[in-house]
Amino acid sequence: MATEVEEVYYCEICGNKVEVLENRAGDLVCCGEEMVLVD
């Protein structure tokens, strides 16, 4: 998966949120699980 600038991802386990600052390839992981893209 590739991330795009300004996308926001959410951890369904701990509630952590991450905003993407640079386009990169790979998955965002938190608490051992992939983070979910917030629409």
Side-chain angles (χ1 to χ4, degrees), residues 4-5 9 11-14 19 21-22 24 27-30 39:
E4 299 290 330
V5 173
Y9 287 82
C11 176
E12 294 181 317
I13 296 172
C14 72
E19 182 176 358
L21 300 177
E22 296 182 9
R24 297 283 186 228
D27 297 324
L28 292 173
V29 177
C30 186
D39 292 326

Side-chain angles (χ1 to χ4, degrees), residues 1-4 6-12 15-20 24 26-29 34-39:
M1 171 190 353
T3 59
E4 299 290 330
E6 295 185 5
E7 286 181 332
V8 176
Y9 287 82
Y10 174 76
C11 176
E12 294 181 317
N16 190 30
K17 289 184 181 177
V18 174
E19 182 176 358
V20 178
R24 297 283 186 228
D27 297 324
L28 292 173
V29 177
E34 277 192 43
M35 297 181 84
V36 178
L37 178 62
V38 176
D39 292 326

